[in-house]
Amino acid sequence: MVKGLYTAFTGMVNEEKRLETLANNLANASTVGYKKEGATSQAFSDMLAYRIKDITVPTHVSGIGDVTLGVKIGETYTNYDQGSLQVTDKKSDIAISGDGFFAISFTNRAGQTSIKYTRDGAFSVDNDGYFRTGDGDYLLNMNGALNSANNQANYVRIDPTQEYTINSQGFITQNGQIVGQIGVVDFANYDFLSKYGENLYDLVPGGQIIASNALIEQGALEMSNVNVVDEMVNMIAIQRAYETGQKMIQTEDSTLEKAVTQVGRV
């Protein structure tokens, strides 16, 4: 009976963690370039139960079968499916159509600089002509992105006083001249990507940068790939599973109470 309490408890904890993942998806449903997360469930390893202090087997303990201890979160994963593109007609807004990420020269609060990756193409052009994120970090050009060259010479820069266009290959043109190329790269294995926060990703050691075949859409943004309706349906399913665990615990508690108060008298 106590095992039943434990099994119901692990199931409720599992649903709670799934709900946290789902809530994070809903909170970022309107975040540009956000990729939703999912969680898988995994059973705890079975354990062999033994019969102890059994007078019928005086010489040794004997196995009575495997015991399953419930479930746990097996893996939290990121769904990198393409989000829908929304036209904004803002020249500095850039969307990626296909597999790939923008390379960003990121500076943390301690002043340390590193390269991060994002699908968020909501850039702006500052007074010096540099493309920058909403947090003020610089967008790298193709050379900087492919070669992990994080320096000012590889920041995307234009003449802010002149009109510019960006074609599907990411080349920036001003006055009929190519003045730069947006740095978009892909990775050989997305398992080497980890979420840093702030809608950014880190490439962990062992990850390999490769060229991207994605197309660039100027004047558009890729929206989140979160389907709000699907997430709400999943939330209802999680709530019902959690309530089932609660009822199991109540039933087990009632059974234990009878065992103590009634069977004990006999």
Side-chain angles (χ1 to χ4, degrees):
M1 287 182 287
V2 176
K3 173 183 171 295
L5 288 173
Y6 184 80
T7 301
F9 162 74
T10 59
M12 292 171 66
V13 171
N14 181 68
E15 297 303 329
E16 184 178 357
K17 292 181 178 179
R18 288 180 59 204
L19 184 61
E20 290 175 358
T21 301
L22 187 150
N24 184 60
N25 289 338
L26 288 174
N28 287 281
S30 300
T31 302
V32 176
Y34 176 79
K35 299 303 179 185
K36 69 177 182 179
E37 294 183 329
T40 62
S41 298
Q42 176 183 346
F44 283 104
S45 300
D46 290 346
M47 298 182 65
L48 182 62
Y50 292 95
R51 181 184 291 111
I52 60 176
K53 296 183 179 179
D54 186 354
I55 61 174
T56 63
V57 187
T59 57
H60 63 280
V61 295
S62 61
I64 58 176
D66 292 335
V67 177
T68 300
L69 300 179
V71 297
K72 60 181 178 179
I73 291 293
E75 178 184 11
T76 300
Y77 62 91
T78 302
N79 184 329
Y80 293 100
D81 288 348
Q82 174 86 41
S84 62
L85 300 188
Q86 178 176 308
V87 176
T88 64
D89 291 327
K90 181 181 178 182
K91 289 185 176 294
S92 58
D93 283 345
I94 310 169
I96 299 175
S97 180
D99 296 331
F101 293 81
F102 298 109
I104 304 297
S105 177
F106 173 77
T107 303
N108 62 19
R109 294 180 181 178
Q112 300 169 327
T113 302
S114 60
I115 296 178
K116 308 294 183 187
Y117 302 92
T118 185
R119 295 278 295 195
D120 184 354
F123 300 107
S124 60
V125 178
D126 66 15
N127 293 333
D128 295 321
Y130 290 106
F131 276 71
R132 306 180 75 166
T133 68
D135 293 326
D137 297 308
Y138 294 95
L139 173 64
L140 293 178
N141 60 23
M142 187 60 76
N143 179 68
L146 281 174
N147 298 299
S148 298
N150 187 14
N151 52 59
Q152 188 173 1
N154 287 301
Y155 296 166
V156 175
R157 188 181 189 185
I158 62 172
D159 183 347
T161 64
Q162 301 292 327
E163 292 292 322
Y164 64 94
T165 59
I166 305 174
N167 69 10
S168 61
Q169 302 303 314
F171 288 103
I172 307 173
T173 302
Q174 286 187 301
N175 295 324
Q177 300 292 324
I178 295 176
V179 296
Q181 184 180 15
I182 304 297
V184 176
V185 292
D186 201 8
F187 307 102
N189 189 340
Y190 283 12
D191 288 341
F192 288 92
L193 279 180
S194 67
K195 283 195 172 184
Y196 172 80
E198 302 178 39
N199 213 10
L200 299 172
Y201 295 86
D202 268 321
L203 184 64
V204 301
Q208 180 183 358
I209 298 173
I210 60 176
S212 170
N213 295 321
L215 300 178
I216 295 297
E217 298 283 346
Q218 184 182 16
L221 292 174
E222 180 193 7
M223 305 311 294
S224 164
N225 66 352
V226 175
N227 186 314
V228 176
V229 175
D230 287 346
E231 298 300 298
M232 293 299 293
V233 171
N234 290 335
M235 179 179 289
I236 294 173
I238 289 173
Q239 182 180 4
R240 289 177 177 172
Y242 191 89
E243 290 174 350
T244 300
Q246 287 180 313
K247 291 178 181 178
M248 288 179 62
I249 288 179
Q250 291 171 356
T251 301
E252 292 284 347
D253 182 63
S254 176
T255 304
L256 284 171
E257 181 183 5
K258 291 180 180 179
V260 172
T261 60
Q262 299 180 18
V263 177
R265 295 199 198 106
V266 178

